[in-house]
Amino acid sequence: MLDLTYETPKPKIIAGATHDWELVIGMEVHAQIASNAKLFSGASTEFGNEPNSNVAFVDAAMPGMLPVINEFCIEQAVRTGLGLAAEINLWSAFDRKNYFYPDLPQGYQISQLYHPIVGEGEVMVDMEPGISRLVRIERIHIEQDAGKSIHDMDPNMSFVDLNRTGVALMEIVSQPDIRGPEEAAAYMVKLRQILRYLGTCDGNMQNGNLRADVNVSICLPGQYEKFIETNDFAHLGTRCEIKNMNSMRFIQAAIEVEARRQITIVEAGGEVNQETRLYDPDKGETRSMRSKEEAHDYRYFPDPDLLPLEIEQSWVEEIASSLPELPDEKKARFMKDFLLSDYDATVLTAELDSAAYFEAVANRRDGKLSANWVINELFGRLKKDDKDITQSPVTPYQLGGIIDLIEHGDINGKIAKDLFEIVYIQGGDPAKIVQDRGMKQLTDTSAIEAAVDKVILDNPDQVEKAKANPKLVGWFVGQVMKATGGKANPKAVNELIAFKLRL
Amino acid sequence: MSDLNKLTLSAARDLLRKKDVTSVELTEACLQAKSAGMALNAFVHDTSEVALEQAKAADNRLAEGDASSMCGIPIGIKDLFCTKGVPSQAASKILDGFRPEYESTVSQKLFDGGAVMVGKLNMDEFAMGSSNETSIYGDVVNPWKVDQRNLTPGGSSGGSAAAVAGDLCLAATGTDTGGSIRQPAAFTGIVGIKPTYGRCSRWGVVAFASSLDQAGPMTKSVRDAAIMLETMCGHDPKDSTSADLAVPNFEACLTGDIKSKKIAIPKEYRMDGMSEEIEKLWAEGTEMLRDAGAEIVGVSLPHTKYALPAYYVIAPAEASSNLARYDGVRFGRRANISAGDGITEMYEKTRAEGFGPEVQRRIMIGTYVLSAGFYDAYYNRARRVRTLIKKDFDDVFAKGVDAILTPATPSAAFSLGDMATMDPVQMYLNDVFTVTVNLAGLPGISIPAGLDAQGLPLGLQLIGKPWKEGDLLNTAYALEKSVGFVEKPEKWW
């Protein structure tokens, strides 16, 4: 791990009618493994295809069909484990989780209950500069996704789409280390970032490729510390699991309302039932998914169609040696090598593509200046057009050219912004544009001096005022800039005016 | 040439190679025998047209000099194997109308070798039964008869056994989860081998209990079994439990020489109340092997008595999960549902109507032993027993034993209907000598060894070392020669 010094954030406190309450949150994140083929079949995983077009016989659980492990999915899970500094289990096994549902053709989901492929790891969740929560990962296991039941296409019938059936998922299970809704969302953000860096999950929450089940309980201040000390869950409240959330906003909101619901129950002398709940964003509430009588007994047992999964340490090491630089390392390096602030480094490393773009720009240039241009100008402009960094019409080479012109004193900041807009809209080589359009700033002091002299001569009243109030010097600067078409070097203008007015 | 259907596979092969007979002639003889043998109720789906096409193609291949052993041989395929475009229902109502769009690996290998499919064979529903009385197509009748009583051919591969014993085809595929090849082979006086678990691909075979299921041949002689097994087995990347091992030339293993081979007689297989006839048969078999030059040793397989209960926990547990896919959603038969019925009612009605009582019983047992609170007491304990049973065998083989000789069944074939009123456990006792072999994943072969006092065939079982089917077949071949079993059922159908 990196040697990062940080402070732990304070847990969120919610004031109830009688007490203050703290939250304890654990998350089970389902991340679709980035892979072209499914976990146990060769069928495509492409999103948005015609219903039931990505279906192999085994996905439809046709009689006599058998699963065969897709090795690439295993590699992706191992890579994820390594990226979360987790223990890799060289021996793992698949189990069947049995339940009936039309979008689960086999009548069981192949998962890993007893022997997951990845053991304990950790994620550093950044809350504010210097303040981070270390969330421990309990395990990661591999499992099949289910299909989709469609109930709203016909009044009398339901339809099933098996395109998603059998797609590989990683279930990343955290310890109950998350202490508030904001931390939960930040954990998701960080996890998503790491997965995207690793290339093991595209993190597309809208398509459901990353979604979370959130376990929420409440406790009185001090109880959590007792739990940490003893690892005895009796110190904590009864948890409820809010299922299947695919937006950071919903995660936060759901935790908030669920915590309040539990507080209301407990403060009224009631008891929270351990159950699975769904968040309804329209009504802003969570509600029970199934009653106790409907509770499933999943009858887990080892899948006899699959031999235990044994992998070699050397293979794990091979994967480890190919791991990319991860967000924490990259951020630290940016802060050190480019002298960036924590904030700038965080923004620039949020996405691998942004970081790569920035590095290309900042290479042998001023880091801070490059960061400002990438974050403020480029990101701002892209956002206006609803584009992401990969769609930027301005290449790092072009932006670097603009920055070079600034650094060499060829153009000033204002002209640079105009130039950027020209490059953004029309493209072209910045240096050539400046040359062709005469945008070079005046560094010839005699020309600037002439302009300054003219402004002073034409405005004796202003000169008097400025002498009395030196703050008015800005007015002169503005006039000179106007007279020179904005091309005068602002520093030189300032110095000359101050000199001429004897300020 | 008359009675071509009565040929052994190997004799037919030799005649085909010599061009003394054509596959079409052989096939037509079998199709006629099949039509004449309706009373046996062995075949369930007619594939005569496919058979004749395949036979013509095989004749072309033979004319071009194809020397594949199975080329042109008419065989029957158990209904548990998925055969492309041909009804494959595992003898269950719930798979009504199901025609797979794929061919099981085992049947594909046979067809690639030029074998001809005479038809699909009756069986116990989902291979669950030991008397072929649980089939949706009705009981299979054993070609052997006593006092005009209809006897069971055994199960679950009862159709395969009856078809081969009754000369409706030259050989057949079977599957064996707890004895489903070996017990019916013994009941009908034919040879049946269950190879080592992982030898034959399970891809495309309707699953009963995945960790126990194995396909194998059911034939008229040990040589036939060697020939057919060689074509059926081999590594299949589509089945993760299939072994990546080369397939030996099994027929070449049949030297008949078993001098100084060590054959073990396990004392735990001498059950209380075992009939004298079985006892005598076993002793005679032992002497024959001794006379052939084998060394006979007594051994102990101490956990044998726990095998049957362990089997009847593990097999139903896996079955309860394997059969969950028959839900009326995607294929097979869906029950008519009433207005207002939801998905739960659809499942309940479909499965209640689609599965027979024995299948339902095993699903319920399996569901029970896997449920929370009972899992450790039943399923996990049964798995531990299984490990101990496997170790029993490992220990015996580690002492230099080459094969183990046991009876194949506790009795000869019984009357159809006899078990109807009995406790199901009585039926399960049929598997007492065979389930250990499945639990340990070993190869086992049943060969006819004599007739009982009523004139019904009895079988002996030889159990071999893992992946040593060649040696096992050779020992069986030596015993077959000594026994000289030539009796055939008297044709009554």
Side-chain angles (χ1 to χ4, degrees), chain A residues 72-116:
Chain A
F72 181 67
C73 293
I74 306 301
E75 185 182 329
Q76 291 285 60
V78 169
R79 184 171 287 120
T80 303
L82 292 169
L84 300 179
E87 188 188 338
I88 305 299
N89 295 321
L90 299 181
W91 193 98
S92 65
F94 290 95
D95 303 296
R96 290 185 184 177
K97 176 182 182 178
N98 295 282
Y99 65 95
F100 283 93
Y101 206 70
D103 61 23
L104 187 74
Q106 293 166 141
Y108 54 85
Q109 176 195 35
I110 305 178
S111 181
Q112 295 189 303
L113 176 70
Y114 297 110
H115 303 282

Side-chain angles (χ1 to χ4, degrees), chain A residues 178-202:
Chain A
I178 301 163
R179 306 302 314 282
E182 298 79 11
E183 285 186 28
Y187 168 75
M188 249 339 236
V189 168
K190 186 60 179 283
L191 201 55
R192 179 176 182 275
Q193 183 191 23
I194 294 171
L195 295 172
R196 284 174 55 82
Y197 265 58
L198 291 166
T200 57
C201 171
D202 70 10

Side-chain angles (χ1 to χ4, degrees), chain B residues 214-227:
Chain B
Q214 264 298 291
M218 300 179 72
T219 59
K220 299 178 189 178
S221 74
V222 173
R223 181 173 300 278
D224 289 6
I227 293 168

Side-chain angles (χ1 to χ4, degrees), chain B residues 380-398:
Chain B
N380 260 345
R381 186 169 296 176
R383 284 179 82 203
R384 284 198 296 275
V385 168
R386 183 176 191 175
T387 307
L388 293 171
I389 285 167
K390 188 165 186 311
K391 189 175 173 297
D392 282 355
F393 282 108
D394 289 347
D395 291 348
V396 165
F397 289 128

